[in-house]
Each structure stands twice: as structure tokens, then as C-alpha cells.
Amino acid sequence: MKKLQNISLKVIFTVMLIGAFSSCSEDELNEVPKDTLAVENLYVSTDGFLAALNDMYHVIRREYNFYYAAQLTGTDVGWTNFPHPDAQKFIDYADALNSEDVFSREFYGRAYGAIAQLNLIIQEAEKEDVEWDSPEDKTKVLAEARFFRAYQHNKMASLYGDAVIVEEYYTAPKFDFVRSSKLEVLNSVKEDLIFAAANLPCEVASLPSGRLSCWAAKHLLSEVYIGLGEYDLAASTANDIVNNSPHKLMKTRFGPEVDNPKGDVFRDLFREGNIDYNDGNLETIWVMEQQYQEPGGTGGMWARRQIQAFSSNFLGVTVADSTGGRGVGRITPTQAFLDLYEPNDIRGQESNFKRTWYYNDIDNLPPGVNYGDKVVYDETDPWLKNTVFYPSCTKWDFGVIGRGGSWTHIDADKDFPKYRLSETYLLLAEAQHLAGNNEEAKNALNEVRLRAGASAITAGDVDMDFILDERARELYAEEDRRLTLYRTGMFVDRVKAMNPQAAPGVQPKHALFPIPQSVIDTNVDAEIAQNPGY
């Protein structure tokens, strides 16, 4: 299997940025370093540009580290009985989420840091002296760079509403940025994605695992068209993927666990070695490539430990590969979310939400139990019920003990899907519903539901709440849930209806994140207005 090379260029770009603000003599400016990477010798060939773009994949993988907590906690699908101190604000809301928030600052800084690097890549790719391996390489590099720039600008529009559009690389400090309207930002995103969709390769089987295709660009473009109110274009773009791409919903068991009677086709989608298109998973449009114990091969994807229950905190239960690795129980599914699953919906069953544990710590068994006995615990104990043994999503399961790793390992160093065709169907349904065509929206939703064993619905069942319910059932612990609720304008209402912990404190202002105060304070030559209410 061809793998996407994992090279982190943070040090490279730090050096480049420092150099941009340093004073140099004319002779120094004419020097071309040969023994270190710099602008002058990195952006001279196809390999140099691909190495730079590889870091953009790493940036997105890092979204699944600690900061993924903000995408689930305090939403309609997730609460916390055991919060990290930085996530406490998603219990209280009110004024606890403010312009000094670490999550808001981190999302903002990561996105615009990536955009700066992408603008440099785009600028350098236009120079005439680049030695491309083939005439098509320049266009492909520009297409990837513009996809990533669109991705980051779209994220800023979803999280903050009006946002700064940055489409050039600055070599000197700039203190007069201004926010553009959300629609202006999305139109900029649209143009980048149209270019990316037209110029990224569509032959998925020939691509290295994890590399962007035209179908990934079209998937995001469909979402952006919805944000612009261009529903017919959103639907036709999603339909193009459904009807003309090599991607198909996986409807039968596949992969190395195909004969495991405790599994099902939905669980198969997330088993290690099953996740990428080149693994036989035709549903995966774009995957975050991971390689365990490979230098630069992981992105610190420790969302897993936050999502999984803290079962090892119970006497007689220890971390094991069979339990999915080391969970710490930071994000508990809301009961209202769990109640969305019908009894026959495999997505909510034991194979995909672990509810049963067994004593597996033979050296520390409590009196009266045997190794392998089912754990019985006091379900009136809030700690045990809501942190140690809550229904635990298995999508992120990843154990390393059997391959010589330590039980303390916190990451999920396996490939993980970023875009799946099932979400394309859900975007299609959303676009069709908003265009007033619930009959077609019903058909798209039923494609996803019937694969999962859920009942078929009628056109009368379709509204935005139902579509968001279906996204929760299908995409829990995958999608950026906060972004979804922000972009649809449903965040406050859904939190009030489904999250009793967060409901008392959530306010209309929380429909967007606050602009980081450091951004406002340092932009001294123009005003960056704070979002209303903060």
C-alpha cells in the first residue's frame, strides 16, 4: 500500500518566518543555503513542494488531539463528568467562555498559521524557475494548497462568523487586518474549492493513502454551497460524488474481522487495516493517515482517550487492547443523543458503543469474582455511571500492548476517516431539504439509515433537527460537531434541548466562538470587532 509521507515542517517554517523579520546584508540575501532547508532551496522542485504540503496534512491530524474536546463537550451530543480544567467552561458557559479562552485562541492561531504557510506555497509555486517533475505538478500543488486554504478559511467562518480573509504571504508584520462578512469568506472558499475540485486527481486507486482527491474537494464544496444558500449546486455536487465517484457505501461485512460474530459492517468501517480506500473501504473519501511508531507518522490523535470510558479506574479492570486502549472518560455521550438510536440500529449497539466490561486484571481481582466475569457496578454512583462505564464509542479503539507498546499509550495511531460517503449523503439530504425537496432528501437519508438497520423514514419526517439527529447517529466522534451546529445555526437550541448540564448557562452569544483578545489587541491599525455578547 502506498503511504502518504509524513514530514513535519514546523521547524522549517519557524526558521523561514524568523528570517523574514531579520535584517540581512545584500550578500547574505544572495546566498542560497545548501545544508539546511529554507525558501530558496525547498521550493525549487516537486519534492520540495510536496514536503511542504505534507505538513498541512499534519496540521489537520492535530485537530484530533486535546482540542477535539471542544468539538463534542458542551454540545447536543456530549457532556463531561470529569472535565479537563480547560474544558470546564463547556459545563458552565455563561461568561466562562470568553476572549481569553485557550480553545478559541488555539483554533484561530492554528488556522491562520496554516494559511500563512499555504500562501507562501502558492506564491513560490508561481515562480518560473521551479523544476517540476512533470508539467502537471504545478497545478496539482496549487490545487492541494488551495484546498487546504479553503478548509481553514471555512473553519474560521464556521467558528467565528465574519473572519479575516488572507490570500497573500506577508514578509513584514501587518497590523491592519479586517474581518470580512461570513458570505464573503465563503465565496473566497468556494473559488479555492472549485479550482481544487477541477485540478486534484480523481483516480483514487492510484493515489497514495491519505492524499487528497477531487472528490474530497467536492465533498467540502457541497457543504460550502449550503452555507451560501446555493442549494441546487450543493445537491448536484454531492450527487456527482454519489453517482460518479468510485466511492460506495459499504453494505456488507469486510476486512480481517469479517467472521467476528460480535461485529457488523459499521464497526468494520473503523477497524485498523480497514479504514482507507486502498484497504478496500470504498466509503472513505479522505483519511487521516497514521503510522504507529513511525517517526513523524502520527499527529497526537489522543481524542480517543477523551471519548473512551475510564474503565481502568475500576478495581479488577485494566487497560487492554481488547478494551480499545487507555481511555480517561472526559466526554460522556448525552442521554438524549443515545436515545436517538432505534433498537435495531447497529450504530448504537454494543459493537459500536461498548456497554459491557469484564474483569481482566488477574492480579487485582476484588474478592468473590473471577477473571472474565462480567463487571457489575453500582449504577447510582455518578462517577461509575458517567465516567468509568458510560457507553463508550469504539470508533477510536487502538491498542498497542500486543505489539510491545506501553499501556500508558494515549494516541490512536491508526488511519481515521475525515470524509466518508455517508456524510456526503447527509449533505445531499440537507441541501435537498433546504431547497424544499423533502422527497429526495428522504431518499438520501434512507440510504444511510437502511445500511445501519434503522427504519425507513418518510418525507414528512425530514427537517433540520432530523438531519442533525442523523448526523449524530452516523458521525458521532468523527465530525466536528460544534462546527456543524454553528454552521447550521442550531447550536443554542440543540444544547438547550439535549444537554441538561450545559443548558442553563448557554446563551445566544455562544452560537459563535469569541475572537481571541490577543488578536484584537495586536491588530493596532484597524479594528477587529469582538463577536456580539463577549
Side-chain angles (χ1 to χ4, degrees):
M1 181 192 305
K2 288 176 286 186
K3 292 282 185 177
L4 171 59
Q5 184 183 11
N6 293 296
I7 299 177
S8 177
L9 296 180
K10 289 181 174 55
V11 175
I12 296 171
F13 285 107
T14 300
V15 171
M16 286 165 24
L17 289 171
I18 292 171
F21 297 110
S22 301
S23 60
C24 305
S25 68
E26 185 174 346
D27 288 341
E28 289 172 327
L29 289 174
N30 289 331
E31 291 181 357
V32 179
K34 302 294 186 183
D35 58 345
T36 58
L37 285 173
V39 175
E40 294 84 0
N41 67 8
L42 179 65
Y43 297 114
V44 297
S45 67
T46 297
D47 285 345
F49 281 95
L50 292 180
L53 285 168
N54 283 351
D55 197 51
M56 296 299 98
Y57 291 89
H58 180 75
V59 167
I60 293 180
R61 283 186 300 172
R62 290 186 66 230
E63 293 179 353
Y64 295 96
N65 65 8
F66 164 70
Y67 293 96
Y68 188 65
Q71 295 296 354
L72 287 182
T73 313
T75 68
D76 56 345
V77 299
W79 67 287
T80 179
N81 188 57
F82 182 42
H84 186 282
D86 287 334
Q88 180 73 34
K89 63 184 70 66
F90 301 126
I91 295 176
D92 306 318
Y93 278 111
D95 294 325
L97 178 60
N98 55 52
S99 61
E100 301 293 344
D101 175 56
V102 64
F103 290 99
S104 180
R105 186 170 65 246
E106 187 73 12
F107 290 142
Y108 200 100
R110 286 187 184 186
Y112 283 109
I115 289 169
Q117 295 180 18
L118 290 160
N119 285 334
L120 177 60
I121 291 170
I122 293 168
Q123 168 191 290
E124 295 298 311
E126 295 289 358
K127 292 186 175 179
E128 295 183 359
D129 58 350
V130 177
E131 296 181 1
W132 300 105
D133 289 349
S134 68
E136 299 82 18
D137 286 353
K138 173 184 173 180
T139 302
K140 290 178 181 178
V141 163
L142 289 172
E144 277 204 22
R146 290 184 69 172
F147 172 89
F148 283 121
R149 185 171 69 179
Y151 177 93
Q152 298 295 353
H153 274 132
N154 181 59
K155 186 171 185 176
M156 293 299 92
S158 296
L159 281 175
Y160 302 98
D162 297 348
V164 176
I165 301 172
V166 186
E167 293 181 328
E168 63 179 289
Y169 179 72
Y170 297 100
T171 58
K174 179 176 169 64
F175 304 109
D176 60 351
F177 289 104
V178 294
R179 296 174 74 185
S180 298
S181 71
K182 182 176 181 178
L183 286 180
E184 289 174 313
V185 178
L186 291 181
N187 273 305
S188 171
V189 169
K190 178 178 76 171
E191 293 307 311
D192 274 348
L193 288 174
I194 289 173
F195 180 88
N199 292 287
L200 285 168
C202 297
E203 296 297 325
V204 179
S206 64
L207 287 174
S209 297
R211 205 95 212 175
L212 284 165
S213 71
C214 73
W215 309 111
K218 291 179 181 183
H219 178 96
L220 183 56
L221 180 58
S222 177
E223 178 189 302
V224 171
Y225 278 138
I226 292 173
L228 288 167
E230 299 176 11
Y231 305 130
D232 289 342
L233 281 171
S236 64
T237 303
N239 262 322
D240 184 21
I241 303 170
V242 168
N243 296 323
N244 300 316
S245 81
H247 299 290
K248 307 297 177 187
L249 286 185
M250 301 299 291
K251 296 182 178 182
T252 58
R253 298 291 307 276
F254 70 104
E257 294 188 18
V258 67
D259 295 323
N260 180 356
K262 295 182 179 180
D264 53 57
V265 66
F266 193 73
R267 179 180 174 85
D268 288 343
L269 295 171
F270 305 95
R271 294 311 93 198
E272 190 175 358
N274 268 20
I275 298 166
D276 187 61
Y277 180 90
N278 290 334
D279 296 328
N281 187 342
L282 304 185
E283 188 166 328
T284 301
I285 296 174
W286 185 27
V287 68
M288 298 291 98
E289 185 71 24
Q290 298 273 94
Q291 291 172 271
Y292 175 60
Q293 291 188 330
E294 197 66 36
T298 65
M301 294 174 77
W302 57 289
R304 176 186 61 75
R305 71 192 297 249
Q306 302 179 72
I307 291 163
Q308 289 179 335
F310 196 5
S311 58
S312 63
N313 190 249
F314 193 76
L315 182 63
V317 180
T318 190
V319 175
D321 292 354
S322 60
T323 64
R326 180 187 174 205
V328 293
R330 296 286 192 185
I331 304 171
T332 308
T334 63
Q335 190 60 49
F337 156 59
L338 293 172
D339 289 344
L340 295 176
Y341 290 108
E342 296 174 354
N344 291 332
D345 190 331
I346 59 175
R347 297 170 298 185
Q349 292 178 359
E350 177 75 20
S351 54
N352 297 300
F353 273 92
K354 185 176 179 60
R355 295 172 171 85
T356 306
W357 280 264
Y358 298 90
Y359 289 103
N360 66 349
D361 189 355
I362 195 166
D363 295 323
N364 294 287
L365 294 173
V369 303
N370 298 310
Y371 181 86
D373 284 353
K374 179 181 175 180
V375 172
V376 178
Y377 64 93
D378 180 3
E379 296 189 21
T380 66
D381 184 323
W383 172 256
L384 296 179
K385 181 179 180 180
N386 299 321
T387 303
V388 178
F389 292 124
Y390 61 67
S392 185
C393 181
T394 63
K395 289 179 179 179
W396 287 85
D397 281 10
F398 185 79
V400 302
I401 298 172
R403 42 190 138 188
S406 169
W407 70 270
T408 62
H409 188 80
I410 63 175
D411 295 341
D413 298 339
K414 66 176 182 180
D415 297 350
F416 198 77
K418 182 68 176 175
Y419 296 156
R420 289 193 291 119
L421 188 66
S422 60
E423 185 183 10
T424 312
Y425 274 105
L426 297 175
L427 290 171
L428 174 60
E430 185 177 341
Q432 291 167 331
H433 163 67
L434 292 171
N437 189 351
N438 276 3
E439 188 65 32
E440 291 299 318
K442 170 262 295 183
N443 292 337
L445 288 162
N446 278 337
E447 284 290 330
V448 177
R449 290 178 57 78
L450 294 176
R451 189 268 296 273
S455 61
I457 61 167
T458 68
D461 295 318
V462 180
D463 59 19
M464 274 307 300
D465 269 316
F466 189 90
I467 290 169
L468 289 171
D469 287 350
E470 198 61 41
R471 288 187 66 94
R473 285 184 283 257
E474 180 74 16
L475 301 172
Y476 177 78
E478 288 180 76
E479 71 168 331
D480 294 337
R481 186 64 176 181
R482 184 176 296 271
L483 264 67
T484 296
L485 297 179
Y486 278 12
R487 74 167 179 81
T488 57
M490 302 284 282
F491 178 79
V492 174
D493 288 345
R494 298 275 300 189
V495 171
K496 284 184 175 294
M498 296 179 65
N499 188 332
Q501 181 185 60
V506 74
Q507 301 171 19
K509 69 177 181 179
H510 298 127
L512 293 171
F513 258 15
I515 303 296
Q517 191 62 42
S518 57
V519 172
I520 294 172
D521 292 343
T522 55
N523 198 64
V524 294
D525 293 332
E527 180 186 11
I528 289 186
Q530 182 55 272
N531 277 331
Y534 288 106

